Amino acid sequence: MVVLALGAVAWRGWERSEAERAGQEAVRLAEQGRFLDAEPKLRLALEYDPDNAELLKPLAVGLLRSDDPAEAEPVLTHWCQVRPEQVEPYRLRMDLRHRSAQRAKPVAEQQRLKELALEDGRRALELEPDDDATARKVVWLCLAGSRFEEADRLCRRFRQRQPDDPELLFLQARVCHALNANAEAQGLLNKLLARQPKFTPGLLLLAILHYEADEAEQAIPLLRRVIAEGGGAHKEARYHLGLALARAGHTEEARRVLAEVQRENLEHDTADPKAAEHRRQDGVTR
């Protein structure tokens, strides 16, 4: 019996040694970009050393780059649990959850994932308070969750060091608009557009501010500029152009523009039956 026990101990020792060698080889393969070769070795090594952050990191990063990045979530969560003082797993999990939210349906699931991403972003900022890139992502997440006061505090803190940064100017303007501080928002946008006159999100927001201030005639040329530039703001700009034209008394053009937007929505809804319901859940009727 003693011989058998000693043999079992020796076998377990050999298995652990093999797992350690597999882990070292796996890390080397992952560093070379050979994740498919590294993954089975990483998982073998983690069976014997499940809390090893040096193994959890390449497995998580590799899964994030795979065809199914959602598989990285439990790995990142375990990494956060075993090394809560490390900022990287929180950053990576925040990005994963935010990307997942953008693809998720229904809207309630989107919001749940964004809230989880926001929690990770806050934790990352606790660990590295001067992390500018994470701060910007947290501001976007706060805006998405209607946490405007938190977004405002964060924007102002980081703008103390970068007062003329274009993205921070735009983010602060978005926050001010959400808080009904529209005069400050307009001033920030004017400062931004003096540096980047073709920045279409800024042009669109400035146009909306003019429209809301009953200055439709000032909004119209800004919206035409956004449409001329194209890009992601093009459709929203056309919708607001229709509204501004109607308010300014340009009835025929307003009807034509809004009819085109409505027709495009109907075509899109026909191609994607879930699109209309998705927009309704978002509170978007256009």
Side-chain angles (χ1 to χ4, degrees):
M1 294 294 293
V2 173
V3 173
L4 288 174
L6 289 173
V9 170
W11 178 257
R12 286 196 295 272
W14 179 84
E15 282 187 321
R16 179 169 292 278
S17 177
E18 285 297 301
E20 289 175 356
R21 280 194 290 270
Q24 293 168 1
E25 174 69 4
V27 171
R28 184 181 67 80
L29 291 169
E31 288 173 349
Q32 294 173 353
R34 297 169 58 188
F35 179 68
L36 290 179
D37 295 325
E39 182 180 3
K41 296 178 183 294
L42 286 168
R43 294 191 183 278
L44 172 64
L46 282 166
E47 287 181 13
Y48 289 88
D49 193 4
D51 296 344
N52 188 331
E54 299 303 314
L55 299 173
L56 291 167
K57 176 178 177 177
L59 180 59
V61 171
L63 290 170
L64 286 170
R65 295 171 179 168
S66 71
D67 293 335
D68 188 8
E71 288 188 13
E73 171 97 14
V75 180
L76 288 167
T77 296
H78 188 59
W79 185 6
C80 290
Q81 291 168 347
V82 300
R83 298 299 297 272
E85 78 285 359
Q86 290 187 350
V87 68
E88 189 171 10
Y90 292 100
R91 286 183 187 142
L92 292 172
R93 193 171 63 174
M94 173 187 66
D95 290 340
L96 172 62
R97 286 171 166 174
H98 191 201
R99 289 196 305 272
S100 298
Q102 292 169 331
R103 297 188 299 268
K105 295 181 182 181
V107 172
E109 178 63 8
Q110 290 183 11
Q111 292 302 323
R112 186 188 73 83
L113 289 167
K114 287 177 182 177
E115 284 295 316
L116 290 173
L118 179 57
E119 290 176 12
D120 283 336
R122 287 170 176 156
R123 176 58 181 160
L125 284 178
E126 286 177 9
L127 293 168
E128 289 193 10
D130 295 332
D131 182 355
D132 178 78
T134 297
R136 293 167 194 246
K137 293 173 183 176
V138 169
V139 171
W140 281 112
L141 289 164
C142 285
L143 282 167
S146 300
R147 300 178 183 275
F148 305 131
E149 289 81 6
E150 182 178 353
D152 186 54
R153 290 192 298 271
L154 202 52
C155 269
R156 293 185 190 281
R157 176 157 73 88
F158 278 82
R159 282 194 60 237
Q160 287 178 356
R161 294 180 303 188
Q162 303 177 74
D164 298 327
D165 181 271
E167 185 181 8
L168 288 175
L169 284 169
F170 178 67
L171 284 172
Q172 185 74 69
R174 284 278 307 270
V175 172
C176 288
H177 179 229
L179 292 171
N180 295 315
N182 291 341
E184 184 178 0
Q186 186 167 336
L188 291 163
L189 290 170
N190 286 334
K191 186 176 183 180
L192 165 62
L193 293 168
R195 290 164 171 76
Q196 295 192 11
K198 294 185 177 182
F199 184 66
T200 53
L203 289 168
L204 176 59
L205 182 54
L206 184 58
I208 291 170
L209 287 169
H210 281 302
Y211 176 80
E212 291 176 349
D214 205 18
E215 297 167 351
E217 291 288 4
Q218 291 173 259
I220 290 169
L222 293 169
L223 292 164
R224 294 194 194 279
R225 284 172 60 187
V226 175
I227 294 166
E229 292 293 333
H234 175 85
K235 186 174 181 179
E236 188 174 358
R238 289 173 60 219
Y239 171 72
H240 281 97
L241 176 61
L243 297 181
L245 288 166
R247 180 170 290 183
H250 306 293
T251 309
E252 288 304 315
E253 186 180 2
R255 286 175 179 167
R256 178 176 57 78
V257 171
L258 291 172
E260 288 175 356
V261 172
Q262 186 177 31
R263 184 175 64 253
E264 288 177 4
N265 281 338
L266 289 171
E267 290 173 355
H268 184 252
D269 294 347
T270 300
D272 181 3
K274 294 182 179 179
E277 178 61 25
H278 199 50
R279 282 209 315 276
R280 281 194 293 273
Q281 289 176 336
D282 274 332
V284 179
T285 57
R286 59 181 177 276

